[in-house]
Amino acid sequence: MDSEQKQAEKARPYGLLKPTALGKIPGRFLLHQEALPHLPVPPLQQTLDRYLLTLQPIISEEELNHTQELVAEFRKPGGVGERLQKGLERRAKKTENWLSDWWLKTAYLEYRLPVVVHSSPGVVLPKQDFQDRQGQLRFAAKLIEGILDFKTMIDNETLPVEYMGGKPLCMNQYFQILSSCRIPGPKRDSIVNYAKGKKQSRHITVVHNFQFFELDVYNSDGSPLTTDQIFIQLEKIWNTSLQTNKEPIGILTTNHRNSWAKAYNNLLKDKTNKESVRTIEKSICTVCLDAPMPRVSEDIYKSRVAAQMLHGGGSRWNSGNRWFDKTLQFIIAEDGSCGLVYEHAPSEGPPIVALLDHIVEYTKKPELIRSPMIPLPMPKKLRFNITPEIKNDIEKAKQNLNIMVEDLDIKVMVFHQFGKAFPKSEKISPDAFIQLALQLAYYRMYGHACPTYESASLRMFRLGRTDTIRSASIESLKFVQSMDSPDKSDQEKTDLLRRATQAHREYTDMAIRGNAIDRHLLGLKLQAIEDLVSMPELFMDTAYAVAMHFNLSTSQVPAKTDCVMCFGPVVPDGYGICYNPMDEHINFAISAFNSCADTNADRMAHYLEKALLDMRSLLQSTPKSKL
């Protein structure tokens, strides 16, 4: 077996989560978690060397020379770098995970832009074949039963442990996604979780026509309601909310976090409002019964659904039918379009997708038993007293949201020519292949490489979240520069392509083992803030700002379901690109902002498709080399 085959063998298990069922053992979750290793603090010299390497393809030689001087200063024995490194190592000894609290605060809770578009990802599920209210409510009922089925596995700790590359993964995120909610604060938000403790949540929130309802989903004996029972309850909700609510209270959750925090405190001064808001926050999840989507042609349908999932289409469409601070919101529209949007702070994409895969499978199961029809209490409508001040807050939130909706350019592209089976047949990691195609597309559009973020899971470690795979490498730049060069033979281009995918694979392996540079650099910077020493020049350098300005923010979120996750760009002049590689096709969601003249989601989709096809042609035209 040559080294490349070995790499391919090694590459395979990542991204594929292999569940192994374990029976219910009391405290099994705790035992599992405690057996996981702690996130390491990488060696300082290693991170600094790698930092300089990642800067090479994205900044000028002049800037690089300047940064090299700053790095040399930072890494001096007994200097500031060493002091901060020691501080981090002490923190790592004292905590379960030196990074997780810091990351939660800096990446999410202290981030002040609206969660809508800027933070919360959406998922587009396959269109369902119902065309009416009956079908919508029947599907919603079955979906809710599927959620409760998954919840039972979480509650009983019988959720199968996932593995990556033969290593067990941290399962903590699964325990954070149900019965939780984000709460706005003036400078920093917080998260409440009602999944633990004696008084566990027994209800979900259902929203229809901008009106919120508390739906108890358990019988008095503690057994979950069946699809038939839930269906009857949803009909009751539907029939008592035929008119659209004049004041869409949910719109408030779309605002800038500081404005929303003010409005939230204002809203909660009233006892009725406070009770209603608490009911939403405590619910297991939210189910949004949406008005049908505007009819559009087949080719833009999925892109429109993606927009509905991310923001609801604005104040005239379904945006008032949401509570965006809720961790999980399942969206089912009358025309069969469906999906979800989730608040990102408690979890990454993979646990959400695992939950979705389970639910989608569950909705396909036939009904086994007809339920005895015990009369069920009327679901409770949540009341809100709208003062002129609250009305004013809602109007302002509507205006801001509609500007945001107009600004988001999103395109879902199903690439049909091949799927992950093709790169695998060439012994190339499908993820590395797709990332390289993104590099090629961007280079052809703009004539240079850009800082690229791909999330890498740190779930091999206790409470691990993510680190960054930097896909723009010296090797990727060499390949993309060669691709359209008449001076290079196909064989040379192929060798460069293989070398670049190899480099990506190596960076990925390094990242999932806790040795990437981004979170380590962030840790050193936060340690400097905590130690109240002046900020080291390394972090005040323009090169650092450039390196952190991710024009391409990307993520592979593989699912069994033929769906795609989507999210907004993280910088004003960037793209957000998420993809789900299936065997014979690849689902992409590409977002950009209309307010930036230089970016265009359609154009990026066009260049990406061409890059994928050109790379396939190149590989097919040259014999497999022995790199």
Side-chain angles (χ1 to χ4, degrees), residues 10 12 59 86 88 138 213 218 255 279 291 322 330 371 404 413 428 439 473 496 617:
K10 223 167 81 182
R12 228 161 266 157
I59 62 173
K86 287 209 168 84
L88 268 192
R138 178 95 5 232
F213 291 82
Y218 290 95
N255 221 343
T279 302
R322 308 276 184 275
F330 295 87
S371 341
M404 231 173 10
M413 168 175 103
I428 292 174
Q439 291 299 314
S473 62
L496 288 169
S617 301

Side-chain angles (χ1 to χ4, degrees), residues 204 206 212-216 233 237 272 275-276 279 377-383:
I204 64 168
V206 178
F212 289 77
F213 291 82
E214 175 184 354
L215 170 56
D216 199 332
Q233 297 298 73
I237 287 173
T272 305
E275 274 175 24
S276 294
T279 302
M378 181 69 202
K380 183 177 162 209
K381 182 174 176 175
L382 303 181
R383 304 273 167 201

